Amino acid sequence: MAETRLSGVAVSPGRARGPVVRVAEPLGEPPRTPAPADPAADAARIGPAAAAVAQRLEDLAAAAQGEAADILFTTAAMANDPGLVGEAERLVTVEGLPAPRAVYDAAGGFARSLAAAGGYLAERVRDIQDVRDRIVAELLGVSPPGVPELDSPSVLVARDLAPADTAGLEPAKVLALVTEQGGPTSHTAILARALGIPAVVAVRGLLELDAEALLVDGDTGVVEPADPRAPVVTADRQAGAEWNGVGETADGHRVRILANVGSVADARAAADAGAEGVGLFRTEFCYLDAPSEPSADEQRAAYAAILAPFAGKPVVVRTLDAGADKPLAFLAPDPEPNPALGVRGLRVARERPEVLDRQLAAIAAAAAESGAEVSVMAPMVATAEEAAWFAGRVRAAGIARAGVMIEIPAAALAAREILEVTDFVSVGTNDLAQYTFAADRQLGAVAALNDPWQPALLRLIALVGEAARATGKPAGVCGEAAADPRLARVLTGLGITSLSMNAAAIRSVGASLAEVGFADCEAAARGALTGKR
């Protein structure tokens, strides 16, 4: 047995040891020849194959919950996308490609366009590749790639995992996930946390590692060979079961434990998990599939349904986070050479303030209907002047509390000035890391730079914490970093006053804070700022 010790990015906490099961590699490129004898008949096979794949994904989604269900339904919609199917049919009938190759090439074009767009759309490249492989397998009459049937608890090893594969895992049979690609905000990472499975991604050299068993540390990112004869070690997925539901340290320092939601299922799961409120309600989910701007009544109804489980509790609603990297038909964005740095978030609202005003009116109406204590914040804010403009718009709509996201290093550096014109701020660690390190958060090769434990990122968050203390106003964290129970202590020590995360992490984060005093959190923060975990 090789004694190689590898490391990657820890994305879901816990330690586990057990036998390795390798996930099959995706299908290779289908051949371009021979040309079909009857192109029309071959093209006619594509639609039913795509529909069959979509139906299987929808069936998986119906059996899943929360984020897993949302991701599976989205992937199913991609499989049935008329644009994908239509382009593949054209490649058969016009260019004479066999149906499997036509699907492969059509999906490749879609994937390149998504990757070039950056941001949210770039995150969907793995999804379209998964859909491609499933449709190609359907056309070839072979089993699709993915996770094999597990006979006993095992450590899954893969180049990467498709969202549908991860969402369909049985936690009782998966000790840990380890991938050579991926990043801290990939679907593999998000769903592993939601399922309570220890996971490490971006482990270079993983597929060359010859080991029958692995020890996986989802806290430190270390992956090393283990004795295959040693007993299986299952991660403790019940951590946090004794949490009393109040976010505070052992000596009573208050830190609200909140949830990130984007659907009714998310909101219900968060309420059931004991969330003290919502720190990030992503409203763009109400827009992304809409061919035109939803009406005020449609928006109100959608928002009210998600707010309902939190009557009497605080909910922070983020206004539409759209733009060049999340193009919406009714906004008609102009092409941009670098969408990640273009007109998105609040920048769209300033160009189209009537869209923002209609959304704010709908949020205010939904707040009154639901009884939730609603605050509103804007994404992609860079300056205090932008923050003041937004706050004025929010208050004019009859909403009492206005805040902004800290996702750009400039905003972290200007946090005190921003807090002087708003009521609160919330740090989006995913984008803040991406912009701080100039590292695409979906690119495995630079995943280590997007690790939320990076000292440079924590120093920016410390500036936000200092500004919050100086102004006497709250500062939250709503990026995936908040879901790490150990990092939650560091963030608390940096002056963060609320932590917002996926529902599955709520109890473990609450319990982690309850075990230590505030002085311990401050000591952990001092160490983390110098690179010590």
Side-chain angles (χ1 to χ4, degrees):
M1 179 182 69
E3 294 300 329
T4 306
R5 187 176 195 238
L6 302 178
S7 64
V9 178
V11 296
S12 185
R15 286 168 56 89
R17 180 180 63 212
V20 168
V21 169
R22 294 180 178 266
V23 176
E25 291 286 309
L27 297 173
E29 295 188 22
R32 303 181 68 86
T33 57
D38 185 345
D42 206 36
R45 299 170 53 217
I46 295 173
V53 168
Q55 185 60 58
R56 282 196 285 272
L57 291 169
E58 288 174 359
D59 291 342
L60 284 172
Q65 295 180 342
E67 289 172 300
D70 293 339
I71 290 170
L72 286 167
F73 275 123
T74 300
T75 309
M78 284 187 169
N80 251 341
D81 186 290
L84 174 63
V85 172
E87 173 61 10
E89 291 172 342
R90 187 194 69 79
L91 290 174
V92 176
T93 57
V94 176
E95 300 191 18
L97 292 179
R101 181 67 196 208
V103 169
Y104 189 92
D105 285 0
F110 274 63
R112 286 189 293 275
S113 297
L114 293 174
Y120 176 86
L121 292 182
E123 295 172 16
R124 307 282 76 78
V125 168
R126 185 67 185 90
D127 304 40
I128 198 70
Q129 291 170 340
D130 177 38
V131 163
R132 173 198 69 192
D133 291 342
R134 290 172 183 271
I135 298 176
V136 168
E138 183 74 15
L139 289 167
L140 294 174
V142 300
S143 298
V147 179
E149 187 72 26
L150 299 179
D151 297 324
S152 60
S154 308
V155 174
L156 282 184
V157 170
R159 185 176 304 279
D160 198 1
L161 281 171
D165 289 333
T166 315
L169 295 177
E170 295 182 55
K173 291 186 178 180
V174 181
L175 298 170
L177 298 175
V178 191
T179 65
E180 188 165 87
Q181 299 178 356
T185 60
S186 65
H187 277 154
T188 297
I190 294 170
L191 289 172
R193 284 190 288 269
L195 295 170
I197 299 172
V200 181
V201 301
V203 182
R204 294 199 173 189
L206 173 67
L207 298 183
E208 285 71 49
L209 183 62
D210 182 18
E212 296 179 45
L214 287 176
L215 174 64
V216 180
D217 192 328
D219 294 300
T220 65
V222 170
V223 178
E224 54 189 334
D227 185 344
R229 297 164 298 180
V232 166
V233 175
T234 303
D236 179 9
R237 298 189 179 104
Q238 299 304 314
E242 300 304 318
W243 181 51
N244 66 7
V246 178
E248 60 183 6
T249 60
D251 52 359
H253 180 82
R254 193 79 166 91
V255 183
R256 287 185 183 273
I257 305 298
L258 308 173
N260 294 340
V261 305
S263 67
V264 173
D266 287 348
R268 290 173 179 163
D272 290 344
E276 297 183 279
V278 172
L280 172 61
F281 169 10
R282 307 180 186 94
T283 58
E284 59 269 16
F285 289 91
C286 301
Y287 291 82
L288 290 177
D289 296 327
S292 59
E293 182 184 353
S295 69
D297 280 345
E298 288 172 332
Q299 291 186 54
R300 176 198 52 75
Y303 303 152
I306 294 176
L307 294 174
F310 293 96
K313 294 184 178 181
V315 175
V316 178
V317 180
R318 184 177 68 188
T319 54
L320 184 59
D321 187 13
D325 70 330
K326 300 179 191 175
L328 300 177
F330 66 87
L331 292 174
D334 294 326
E336 294 178 345
N338 193 341
L341 303 180
V343 180
R344 54 178 297 198
L346 184 65
R347 299 169 184 179
V348 175
R350 297 200 77 171
E351 288 194 354
R352 297 285 300 276
E354 71 281 3
V355 175
L356 173 63
D357 290 343
R358 286 191 287 268
Q359 182 178 29
L360 291 174
I363 293 170
E369 179 180 329
S370 67
E373 298 175 0
V374 170
S375 305
V376 180
M377 66 179 176
M380 201 66 175
V381 172
T383 68
E385 184 275 331
E386 291 177 343
W389 179 88
F390 176 76
R393 220 85 191 183
V394 170
R395 289 162 187 151
I399 301 171
R401 286 172 43 82
V404 302
M405 295 279 290
I406 304 288
E407 302 169 287
I408 302 172
L413 294 169
R416 184 174 300 204
E417 291 85 352
I418 287 174
L419 278 167
E420 287 172 352
V421 297
T422 60
D423 300 301
F424 67 95
V425 295
S426 186
V427 180
T429 52
N430 302 349
D431 269 330
L432 184 57
Q434 177 172 243
Y435 290 129
T436 298
F437 296 105
D440 188 329
R441 68 190 198 190
Q442 291 302 306
L443 185 60
V446 295
L449 292 173
N450 282 305
D451 184 345
W453 284 89
Q454 282 282 0
L457 176 65
L458 294 176
R459 289 170 194 170
L460 286 174
I461 297 173
L463 292 178
V464 177
E466 291 169 8
R469 283 191 291 265
T471 58
K473 294 180 179 179
V477 165
C478 59
E480 288 298 323
D484 182 335
R486 290 174 60 242
L487 188 53
R489 298 176 179 180
V490 170
L491 296 172
T492 298
L494 293 175
I496 296 303
T497 59
S498 68
L499 300 166
S500 189
M501 64 212 71
N502 62 73
I506 286 170
R507 299 192 68 82
S508 59
V509 170
S512 177
L513 288 178
E515 291 173 353
V516 297
F518 182 57
D520 298 314
C521 294
E522 291 182 308
R526 288 192 295 272
L529 290 173
T530 64
K532 297 177 182 178
R533 295 199 179 193

